[in-house]
Amino acid sequence: MASTAPKVLITGSTSFVGFRTLVATLEAGYRVLGAVPQREDADHILSMPSIKRMGDLGGNLTFITVPDIAADRSLAEAVKRDVEYIIHTDSPMTVNSTITADRYDSQIIQPLLKGSNNVLSAALGNPSIKRVVMTSSLMAIAPYNELFELESFATFNDASPAQNSNPPYRNAVEALCAGKGRALAATNTFLTKNKPHFTVINLMPGVVIGHDELAKTWRDLNKGSNQQTLRHLRGDKVPTKLPSQTVFVDDVAKVHALALNTKKVATTQNFLLSSSANIGSPWYRASEIVKKEYADQVKKGWLSLDGEQPINRAMIDDGKTKKVFSINFAGFEKQIRSLLGQYVQLKTKDEKGN
């Protein structure tokens, strides 16, 4: 039987972070309206073990089809459905080398800006909305070169301003960093100009790692931050650096749900999320775990000890996040074991032809 709990509209419900956030929000006692690109995506979500374990959700989990979050007035109908909160996780976080430089603006930056603006505009037109939680990123406040190239001596925190990177961009990830910075700046401008009746929480995680329940095969892990994490563990000698800051996907989802509490956090604020803020995660431990715990998979060629992944140290201060939400972030080892365990499980399933 459906409850009378507050309803949360979640965009990006079929994404890595979005789905885990949907689960965490339901577990926290809210009703959820999941925005999905097509109806078949809702059926896939309903088939997930973590959803089935909750039993008959009735009207506590419903869906609305939103083919393109960046389309004009894409959420105008969704916010009319008894919604009090919005969590916006939908963004082009998966970028690849097939996006050419002439399309960085149209395929990466503009969808970020339009999606965020549509969420805020829809909320502005609905007096029942109390809060909007935005999935931002460390990339929104830390320039590309300080996250991915040169070790920074700066410490980024919740008060750090939106970074401003201008074209030309050397690669799609640099364009994504610019887009995240511009989206944060646009949100700040929107709030200053419109003085809305709702508050906004911007969550800024580092590299998000962990089990992706929506993945049907091991190939489905070949996207986003999980793909970048797995590359060197499968033998690639990756030439580009990754940021040292990582965070477990379940912790990211949990903070999204906690951030809905307007009594705990009454005003518009930013929060950084990382499992090892000051020094970054011990990435070398990933290869050690493979060597110690996955020797058979190394022999099969599923994993490798010959890969290389250079890391760029970036320092952040997420002390406010831990204090406000009373959370201790899971360590890097748990993040890696969660991802490797699923990868090996799916490879085994594929080998058996199941």
Side-chain angles (χ1 to χ4, degrees), residues 57-102:
L57 289 167
N60 289 336
L61 175 57
T62 54
F63 297 94
I64 185 169
T65 302
V66 181
D68 182 7
I69 195 75
D72 290 344
R73 294 180 54 80
S74 60
L75 296 173
E77 178 60 31
V79 294
K80 296 177 182 178
R81 299 194 178 186
D82 193 27
V83 171
E84 294 183 44
Y85 301 91
I86 302 175
I87 297 179
H88 179 47
T89 71
D90 194 338
S91 70
M93 286 302 295
T94 301
V95 296
N96 55 63
S97 58
T98 63
I99 302 178
T100 55
D102 61 310

Side-chain angles (χ1 to χ4, degrees), residues 20 26 52 89 106 144 149-150 164 179 196 204 236 279 300 327 329 332:
R20 292 310 307 166
L26 285 169
K52 289 184 174 181
T89 71
S106 63
Y144 174 82
E149 293 182 331
L150 306 173
N164 181 23
M204 302 173 177
D236 287 358
I279 58 175
K300 288 183 177 182
I327 186 170
F329 292 114
F332 183 68

Side-chain angles (χ1 to χ4, degrees), residues 10-277:
I10 300 181
T11 71
S13 296
T14 56
S15 69
F16 175 40
V17 169
F19 173 72
R20 292 310 307 166
T21 298
L22 181 149
V23 172
T25 304
L26 285 169
E27 291 175 338
Y30 295 91
R31 291 183 293 157
V32 169
L33 173 62
V36 294
Q38 51 192 359
R39 177 61 212 185
E40 292 79 3
D41 294 318
D43 295 334
H44 185 42
I45 288 174
L46 290 171
S47 71
M48 292 296 102
S50 59
I51 297 297
K52 289 184 174 181
R53 282 194 294 269
M54 296 185 200
D56 182 12
L57 289 167
N60 289 336
L61 175 57
T62 54
F63 297 94
I64 185 169
T65 302
V66 181
D68 182 7
I69 195 75
D72 290 344
R73 294 180 54 80
S74 60
L75 296 173
E77 178 60 31
V79 294
K80 296 177 182 178
R81 299 194 178 186
D82 193 27
V83 171
E84 294 183 44
Y85 301 91
I86 302 175
I87 297 179
H88 179 47
T89 71
D90 194 338
S91 70
M93 286 302 295
T94 301
V95 296
N96 55 63
S97 58
T98 63
I99 302 178
T100 55
D102 61 310
R103 295 183 294 162
Y104 288 163
D105 186 69
S106 63
Q107 293 196 9
I108 299 176
I109 296 174
Q110 290 307 314
L112 275 169
L113 294 173
K114 291 177 181 177
S116 296
N117 183 69
N118 284 343
V119 168
L120 295 170
S121 296
L124 189 64
N126 188 343
S128 68
I129 301 297
K130 298 176 180 177
R131 167 154 295 166
V132 175
V133 178
M134 296 282 209
T135 310
S136 185
S137 169
L138 288 182
M139 292 186 288
I141 57 174
Y144 174 82
N145 65 334
E146 295 192 52
L147 270 184
F148 291 89
E149 293 182 331
L150 306 173
E151 287 198 0
S152 175
F153 293 98
T155 297
F156 299 97
N157 58 42
D158 58 280
S160 298
Q163 60 99 348
N164 181 23
S165 301
N166 297 312
Y169 306 116
R170 291 163 292 173
N171 54 59
V173 176
E174 186 172 13
L176 181 61
C177 286
K180 283 292 184 179
R182 287 178 60 180
L184 177 61
T187 295
N188 293 337
T189 299
F190 182 97
L191 297 176
T192 300
K193 178 181 178 181
N194 294 285
K195 297 179 174 55
H197 58 276
F198 57 87
T199 52
V200 174
I201 301 296
N202 293 298
L203 300 181
M204 302 173 177
V207 179
V208 184
I209 301 172
H211 181 280
D212 184 354
E213 190 176 344
L214 292 177
K216 297 178 181 179
T217 74
W218 64 267
R219 294 175 183 84
D220 292 333
L221 298 176
N222 289 332
K223 58 185 178 182
S225 52
N226 274 341
Q227 178 195 32
Q228 296 302 316
T229 303
L230 282 171
R231 283 186 64 187
H232 75 290
L233 300 178
R234 292 168 54 186
D236 287 358
K237 297 185 185 301
V238 185
T240 54
K241 292 182 178 181
L242 280 178
S244 59
Q245 301 295 340
T246 70
V247 63
F248 189 35
V249 64
D250 286 6
D251 288 338
V252 175
K254 181 178 180 180
V255 174
H256 276 77
L258 291 171
L260 296 171
N261 189 334
T262 55
K263 293 181 180 179
K264 182 180 288 290
V265 185
T267 59
T268 292
Q269 296 186 47
N270 300 338
F271 292 93
L272 278 61
L273 287 69
S274 175
S275 63
S276 187

